[in-house]
Amino acid sequence: MNDNDSAVSRRSFLKSAGSATVVATAASSVSGCLGGSGGGGSTLRYGRSSHSDTLDPQNTTSGEVAKVTNQIYDGLIDFQPGEATITESLATDWSMDGEEVTLELREDAQFDDGTDFTADDFVATYRRFVDEEYEYYFEDASAYGPFTLGNWIDSVSADGDYTLNVTLTQPYAPFLRNLAMFAAVVLPQDGIEGDLDFNSDANGTGPFQLEELDDSNGRILLTPNDNYWGDGPNVDELLFIERGQNSTRTQALVEGELEIIDNLAPTNIDSVEEEDGVAIESGQGINIGYMSFNMSRVEAFRDARVRQAISHAIDTESIVNEVYSGIAEQADQPCPPALFGHNDDLSPYAYDPEEAQSLLDETEYSDGFSFELTTFQNARGYNPAPLPTAETIRTNLEEIGIDVTIDERQFSDYLTYTSEGKHDASLAGWYTDNADPDNFYYVLLHPQVESPDGQDWVDWGTDGFNTSNRSAWANQEYMDLVEEAQRTADEDERASIYAEAAQIAHDEAPWVYIDYADEIRGVHNRVSNYTVSAIGGPHLHLVDVE
């Protein structure tokens, strides 16, 4: 992670901002910064709640990073804007037969420095992410490495410059979709094997290139990649701006200082809807918001009856309808209803303090206990009001004698803290990476290590443990089903297997299932051709700004 307090640039800042300096820009209005009103060109300003803590797609699990890196880098495969359908990108054709995958690659793609893209770039990208024998292996790679590529690929080889041959470790149904994940984008081989610092610099084949990284002010300026092989970009500058407070971000949109904003709280949605010149655009989400029980850390959470009791004690219906103002629906299982792996026969845990107390009375915790609930401060799509959610949970659990202390953190700090397993419980959430049920069932609740005999949880320090499983849950029956679904090609058969897995996850309650949220954006009327996407993107190279 780059903690440089000054702006970092590979190109002249003056080229984009005239005689302005970074310091002067920080003090100016948004509309006047980084070329926003100068030079006659169009600038798309995207307001968000958190800054990217890195520009390295292999060094993060954060969607905030992906919003930026998806503009700079391409994957072999992409998603259609606003859809869950995969489409060509750096690969123009592909076939998968059992464990053998062949991809034909685009011959007209270049990185922004003018270097031609070839199959060797993907081979180096893959090896950097997961191959410990590779001289340039990235030791600090994120948890995405194993479940995106490493667990599934036995070998990758280039057949000439524009053909890739991949042999899988087993038949794996979601593999092509994994290639469309933000963490699987293609990095340049010469950058990997050279001195390019991917945390603070970038060189991709995507529509935009990095112009300015200003960590101290939470701003990232991108400009068009003149070597881009596809359509667009349609703007001269793309500026990502951090505005941590929901109200500040919303007001900037209303006043015309931002063109698009995300992660809106319910009250901010109302504010946008009341104003002229701006609008709310939405779409069905493919996400989940939940509270994880860290069984590795809190002994009480290892008893399923305690987890079930807490699930009954928390009024998720009230959270969804009152705290979230109805922009979400109650959750009842890991997989959201937009995907085929959702079990329609399940229902949310009913709010029932008496049943909760009855379940607790069956355990040694009938008189209650205490734990710390870690949450992020800024709104997320799957949790637009994190502190009110945490306070509702604290109030609800007081009714059954459980004392909750709220630990509120900035998002980047929250991610680090919970990835290290330091939380007792945490408010968490997930946007799909590949629109496949495996991305929820396996990625979030399979430990990716053996289940210890006689228990359904693992120690956080277990070698190879999947830290995206924030509950450290390890139910062997569930794990077996999820692994079987991965090896099954027929979608109807997979759906049946996932229905069984969903039932176990519902009954065993490794999470408190809170919500499935809509995708909500605030958009200024200067913007056209913008599509709200629940997966991939945002496809900002297609956007026009008047």
Side-chain angles (χ1 to χ4, degrees):
M1 175 178 176
N2 178 25
D3 291 324
N4 188 355
D5 287 334
S6 62
V8 179
S9 179
R10 292 189 293 128
R11 301 170 180 83
S12 171
F13 177 72
L14 299 180
K15 183 178 78 171
S16 294
S19 60
T21 66
V22 174
V23 174
T25 297
S28 70
S29 69
V30 176
S31 60
C33 73
L34 294 177
S37 60
S42 59
T43 298
L44 172 59
R45 294 162 298 185
Y46 192 106
R48 55 192 185 142
S49 61
S50 299
H51 183 58
S52 302
D53 59 4
T54 179
L55 294 178
D56 189 340
Q58 296 184 350
N59 191 26
T60 184
T61 63
S62 172
E64 294 299 340
V65 174
K67 290 171 190 174
V68 178
T69 58
N70 281 351
Q71 314 308 316
I72 299 172
Y73 295 101
D74 292 315
L76 297 178
I77 296 174
D78 199 0
F79 291 99
Q80 291 278 12
E83 300 179 14
T85 306
I86 58 174
T87 188
E88 65 181 48
S89 184
L90 291 177
T92 57
D93 196 15
W94 50 81
S95 63
M96 186 164 68
D97 183 10
E99 298 171 7
E100 300 300 323
V101 183
T102 301
L103 300 108
E104 301 299 332
L105 307 184
R106 182 176 299 283
E107 299 184 20
D108 59 347
Q110 291 182 321
F111 292 93
D112 72 59
D113 66 356
T115 304
D116 289 338
F117 156 75
T118 71
D120 288 334
D121 293 302
F122 180 79
V123 174
T125 297
Y126 161 76
R127 297 192 68 190
R128 178 183 189 256
F129 212 4
V130 302
D131 184 0
E132 296 181 10
E133 301 300 317
Y134 184 42
E135 180 181 354
Y136 305 97
Y137 170 67
F138 182 36
E139 294 183 356
D140 295 325
S142 76
Y144 271 80
F147 69 72
T148 301
L149 301 174
N151 290 347
W152 319 118
I153 295 179
D154 181 64
S155 65
V156 179
S157 62
D159 181 4
D161 286 342
Y162 298 107
T163 301
L164 278 168
N165 295 318
V166 181
T167 300
L168 303 180
T169 57
Q170 64 172 58
Y172 178 62
F175 180 68
L176 293 174
R177 289 182 167 276
N178 279 17
L179 293 179
M181 288 186 185
F182 87 91
V185 295
V186 181
L187 309 178
Q189 180 183 18
D190 60 359
I192 292 171
E193 299 182 354
D195 59 0
L196 183 64
D197 181 359
F198 289 97
N199 280 315
S200 59
D201 208 343
N203 182 24
T205 62
F208 290 96
Q209 63 186 10
L210 176 66
E211 188 74 21
E212 191 74 28
L213 172 63
D214 185 358
D215 285 333
S216 61
N217 293 302
R219 298 176 184 181
I220 301 174
L221 177 65
L222 307 183
T223 54
N225 173 9
D226 293 335
N227 298 315
Y228 182 50
W229 54 267
D231 295 330
N234 297 333
V235 296
D236 298 306
E237 295 177 336
L238 170 58
L239 179 60
F240 287 92
I241 303 174
E242 178 187 26
R243 288 291 180 268
Q245 295 297 320
N246 299 334
S247 58
T248 303
R249 198 163 59 255
T250 303
Q251 190 62 29
L253 175 74
V254 170
E255 295 180 357
E257 297 176 348
L258 295 171
E259 278 71 46
I260 302 173
I261 62 173
D262 60 17
N263 292 333
L264 287 82
T267 55
N268 308 127
I269 293 172
D270 293 339
S271 297
V272 172
E273 291 178 332
E274 292 170 357
E275 297 289 340
D276 295 328
V278 292
I280 291 295
E281 296 190 13
S282 63
Q284 184 181 24
I286 312 176
N287 59 62
I288 186 170
Y290 59 93
M291 186 184 90
S292 70
F293 298 105
N294 188 352
M295 301 176 207
S296 175
R297 184 175 175 87
V298 179
E299 187 172 348
F301 292 158
R302 299 170 190 171
D303 190 325
R305 295 168 298 182
V306 172
R307 304 193 300 266
Q308 293 162 357
I310 291 175
S311 297
H312 278 298
I314 295 174
D315 190 353
T316 58
E317 184 176 12
S318 176
I319 291 173
V320 167
N321 292 333
E322 297 177 23
V323 179
Y324 299 171
S325 298
I327 63 172
E329 61 180 286
Q330 280 180 279
D332 49 32
Q333 59 191 287
C335 184
L339 298 183
F340 70 85
H342 183 84
N343 185 338
D344 293 333
D345 293 332
L346 298 177
S347 299
Y349 275 78
Y351 174 56
D352 190 340
E354 292 184 2
E355 175 65 14
Q357 187 62 62
S358 177
L359 284 163
L360 273 188
D361 288 344
E362 297 175 10
T363 74
E364 60 183 285
Y365 304 101
S366 58
D367 293 330
F369 61 98
S370 62
F371 69 87
E372 184 176 76
L373 174 58
T374 298
T375 185
F376 39 86
Q377 294 178 339
N378 306 108
R380 308 293 297 163
Y382 46 72
N383 186 338
L387 185 56
T389 301
E391 290 173 339
T392 299
I393 290 171
R394 177 173 59 187
T395 299
N396 288 161
L397 294 186
E398 282 178 355
E399 297 184 43
I400 58 171
I402 297 178
D403 180 47
V404 176
T405 301
I406 297 173
D407 170 35
E408 190 182 13
R409 295 174 177 266
Q410 290 286 345
F411 190 62
S412 60
D413 181 35
Y414 156 88
L415 286 176
T416 300
Y417 187 79
T418 56
S419 71
E420 294 173 350
K422 295 178 179 178
H423 60 290
D424 292 345
S426 67
L427 287 180
W430 191 256
Y431 300 107
T432 185
D433 294 304
N434 65 1
D436 191 279
D438 184 72
N439 194 233
F440 292 88
Y441 287 107
Y442 181 77
V443 171
L444 300 180
L445 283 171
H446 192 301
Q448 299 177 25
V449 295
E450 293 296 321
S451 175
D453 290 339
Q455 66 183 51
D456 66 352
W457 59 276
V458 297
D459 184 87
W460 204 274
T462 303
D463 186 38
F465 169 67
N466 167 29
T467 58
S468 293
N469 181 350
R470 293 295 204 258
S471 292
W473 188 51
N475 180 283
Q476 190 61 56
E477 184 180 4
Y478 172 90
M479 293 159 61
D480 290 344
L481 287 167
V482 170
E483 291 170 15
E484 180 184 356
Q486 291 174 337
R487 297 188 296 267
T488 302
D490 184 80
E491 187 172 296
D492 289 338
E493 291 182 30
R494 292 185 74 205
S496 179
I497 296 168
Y498 283 131
E500 294 183 55
Q503 185 73 62
I504 294 170
H506 174 276
D507 296 346
E508 292 294 312
W511 299 340
V512 174
Y513 303 99
I514 299 177
D515 75 296
Y516 310 118
D518 294 335
E519 294 287 339
I520 306 290
R521 306 288 186 270
V523 182
H524 200 280
N525 64 4
R526 288 193 299 269
V527 170
S528 59
N529 299 323
Y530 171 64
T531 301
V532 177
S533 294
I535 181 172
H539 300 89
L540 300 179
H541 63 293
L542 302 176
V543 172
D544 289 289
V545 177
E546 294 180 3

